[in-house]
């Protein structure tokens, strides 16, 4: 059910976290991968883009949301635009490789 979260993935909580006023189904963004993927820093923002909570979560506490059909034989292209020029170049290279293999679903 849960696929491995990647940097900048949109995720939803699968559990209630009342101590943070966060509830199952709330949507956040993975902003950091921690402990070699055994935890993720997830940022929760309001409709105006203001962060109201950011905390480390375990993979079983989140699920990756998909906004388009997925196919098990195609790898997801992680070449989304982001502000860092270095990361943009890395993502552009990944996107070129993804296109060359015929796997881009962006």
């Amino acid at each position: 059910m849960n696929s491995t979260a990647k940097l900048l993935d949109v995720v939803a909580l699968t559990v209630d976290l009342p101590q943070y006023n966060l509830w199952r189904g709330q949507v956040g963004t993975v902003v950091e991968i921690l402990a070699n993927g055994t935890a993720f820093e997830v940022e929760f923002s309001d409709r105006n883009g203001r962060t109201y909570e950011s905390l480390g979560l375990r993979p079983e506490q989140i699920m990756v949301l998909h906004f388009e059909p997925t196919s098990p034989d195609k790898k997801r292209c992680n070449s989304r635009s982001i502000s860092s020029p270095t990361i943009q170049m890395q993502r552009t290279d990944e996107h070129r490789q993804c296109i060359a293999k015929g796997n881009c679903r962006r």
Side-chain angles (χ1 to χ4, degrees), residues 7 31 36 43-44 46 51 55-56 59 68 81 94 101-103:
L7 188 64
V31 295
N36 294 320
E43 187 174 277
F44 296 88
D46 64 19
T51 301
L55 66 152
E68 57 189 46
S81 295
E94 288 174 12
K101 292 177 184 175
N103 290 340

Side-chain angles (χ1 to χ4, degrees), residues 72-92:
D73 61 330
K74 300 257 184 186
K75 287 187 177 179
R76 192 170 138 232
C77 182
N78 285 325
S79 57
R80 292 178 257 178
S81 295
I82 42 183
S83 57
S84 165
T86 302
I87 295 175
Q88 279 181 344
M89 287 188 330
Q90 291 170 348
R91 292 289 168 95
T92 300

Side-chain angles (χ1 to χ4, degrees), residues 21-81:
N21 198 29
L22 294 171
W23 309 98
R24 186 173 51 129
Q26 280 189 268
V27 175
T29 303
V30 174
V31 295
E32 190 77 35
I33 298 174
L34 306 170
N36 294 320
T38 62
F40 304 93
E41 182 77 17
V42 178
E43 187 174 277
F44 296 88
S45 303
D46 64 19
R47 292 180 188 267
N48 296 315
R50 288 185 294 250
T51 301
Y52 58 85
E53 192 63 71
S54 182
L55 66 152
L57 297 170
R58 295 181 313 273
E60 62 270 14
Q61 294 177 297
I62 59 175
M63 67 179 291
V64 176
L65 300 180
H66 302 278
F67 297 96
E68 57 189 46
T70 60
S71 171
D73 61 330
K74 300 257 184 186
K75 287 187 177 179
R76 192 170 138 232
C77 182
N78 285 325
S79 57
R80 292 178 257 178
S81 295

